[in-house]
Amino acid sequence: MRALRSFTVRARLPEPLAPLQDLAFNLRWAWDPRTRDLFRWVDPQLWESSFHDPVRVLSLVDRHRLEQLARDPAFMGVLGELHEELNRYCTVGRWFQTRAGSPLQSVAYFSPEFGIAEALPQYSGGLGVLAGDHLKAASSLGVPLTGVGLMYRMGYFRQYLNGEGWQGERYPVLDPHAMALRLVDGVQVELALAEQTLVAQVWLAEVGRVRLYLLDADVEANPLELREITDRLYGGGVEHRLRQELLLGIGGVRALRAVGVPSQVFHTNEGHAGFLGLERIRTLVTDEGLSFTEAIEAVRAGTIFTTHTPVPAGIDRFPRELMERYFGAWAAEVGVGMDQLMALGHFPADPPDAPFNMAVMGLRLAGRSNGVARLHGDTSRRMFQPLWPAVPPDEVPITSVTNGVHGRTWVAPEMGELLTKYVSPAWDEASPAEWARVRDARDDELWRVREQGREALVTFVRARMKKTLLASGVPSVDAAWVDEALDPRYLVVGFARRFASYKRATLLLSQPERLRRLLLDEQRPLQLVFAGKAHPADELGKEIIAQIARFAGDPEIRHRIMFVEDYDIAVARTLYQGSDVWLNTPRRPMEASGTSGMKAALNGALNCSILDGWWDEMFDGDNGWAIASAESYDDVARRDEIEAESLFEILERQIIPLFYDRSGGRLPHEWIRRVKASLCSLGPEVLASRMVRDYVERMYEPTAARVDKLAGGSHAAARHLAAWRERVVAAWPGIEVVSVDGDAGATAPLELGGTREVTAEVRLGSLRPGDVAVQLVHGPVLGGDELTDTAVVEMHLLGGDAGEGGGTYRYTGSFECDRAGRHGYTVRVVPSHADLTDPMELGCVTVA
Ligand SMILES: *Cc1c(COP(=O)(O)O)cnc(C)c1O
């Protein structure tokens, strides 16, 4: 039965404890161990049973206990101190405030999910946790960023395995009134959904000094089916998904307007929020009188798009009928036809009735785009190259900003203390030079931290396993073995992530006997801990989990290999902090970045991974292990076989002997040396503070400067740029490189260090020299005259004239040859305009 009306009953704290309320409602507790300790102090049992949720602790704690605490001078002293510290944290200037003259005033960061704490389960995995870490690091750096997302009433599912190891899903209903969220008074957002109108309310989460707004469709004014729009993360069919994305993108922009966040830079974390661009186009057209193409220019100037998946199936695509139903009114209002709208989500070669591709729209409506690791940038340029058919893959305008993780969320308090002592009290924002000081840490001190992590992991896994067994009806005598499962003295290899098939969680199971031998070794056993969820609709992923669960269920080895159910932030943290080795076995280059290995590394684990995602750029030969990649094999089975073989060899010949090598005494000194090498090299690179600084310097600030410039004087520059773009694209077919001449016959040999002069004659048709750049592209030549590793040199205008029927101009340029061997060059013409972020963005290139 549904309640006709519902209301909230909130706990009231005794007056002196009022600061507890502020501490509970600012999610800074998610990464501040002292604030967490304070809530544990309030009621240790409630702290555990509430999944570490200060708001629940306060609403459930016994009144007498509160009165007792209010009279406890020790408690009140710490409370006062932490409250003051929070206020200071939220107001004192930080890194961003030292950037005098920064053009950046506001970034709106849109994401379909945010993983901030286990008590706010609004995430499914890596994408959401990354978004949470982005907000936290932005907060600590003082970046003026605001998050926008949805409030899902059931979040993502909670996982359990049945007796056969098959994944089942539970969807507990969340009550936002009982969470660390505040309803934003007086703000409601309205949205047309086909023939209906949706009303959404807005929740505010405070993430340190950053605000996160979450839109919620579960409002009484809505008919029941609309209230269900924000039911679950990634649930329901295509139409459900479209409605969620409409609310996120369009509703999100309206919510920001309603709460008064200035509109400057918009950052779309993956394509799901891409409709924000359409909402902004609409307002520019209707309120400011821009044309459709001018509005696109203005929106692009202020938008950043981050793509997160090299897997085409991971991209949302909406059929044309649905787009017509939900965007027909939009198109009419903006004054364009459906074909024009659909083209925003199409590759040039797509037919008009092809599904609308959200990543394509993301790229088309963003002035700057990026992948999430260097290799992924490269993969993305190739994957989306068809959007710019004339542009060479290496020059497709998609860059990369490598992901990072929020240090204080993921690092164990004991490790945090060690880093504070040796690296810096601000180790989470420290420089490489400061991180290098971790080598000064005493071996026994570092090893003690590692042991504490492993012990905590073993305790946690045993308790979780016991609970699971008892809950599934196993008699307690039959569950007693769990108390002895895993041994905190032995090597632990962790593997936890989504069970998508490209991640190949079962690579180790491909040689079951060999694995059993390692697990059952008397002196030097290997222990394995797995965790992770499969998407509810992914039968293959569930089969992989079941395989692991069946293998791990064998009574002979079950004390050495465990599958921990219900992977979430709390499970993840325990695994990162307690594993000695973090294993990652994706099929290269399917893993965009991966971040779990970064979190493990910060805790002193060593990575053993395929050179994919972030590991491809950060592995240096000494800070972990690289599993050989047999990427060049087309035969997937053969490839898996070779890579599994490499993994086993690394385990048998390197990892296990090194971990158990105590020739220098009680401690594995060589292992510890490796851990230090890993911390020194990875510490400064894997932090979200590095990532957010990269975004600020390379993406946000240039975008802010550009959008301000283009918006000035009623968008004069945007209008001009739109007109220029149309003119250049239309005139481009008239461009031709008529001739190219090198000095001394162009192909004569040159001495190393010599200079080659080149002149070219170029026909520009109706365009002028100011509209284009003529470039000399040179580099070593491989077989088939293919230029590799090219460098680009601008050529200078020598002269020419705008004759009738098309001007012809002469250009000159030169380059030095600093490498012996075959070298080649060519000449090309690309568009050039001061307000363009990248000459390639128009997709116009003419090569000699
Ligand atoms: C870090 C994290 C992930 C992402 O891990 P990958 O390495 O990208 O697979 C997923 N889920 C949780 C809970 C995490 O903390």
Side-chain angles (χ1 to χ4, degrees), residues 123 125-126 129 410 497 503 567-569 572 576 594-596 599:
Y123 62 94
V129 172
W410 300 107
R497 49 185 52 85
K503 300 208 183 212
Y567 185 47
D568 69 353
I569 285 178
Y576 305 145
T595 49
S596 55
K599 302 173 212 168

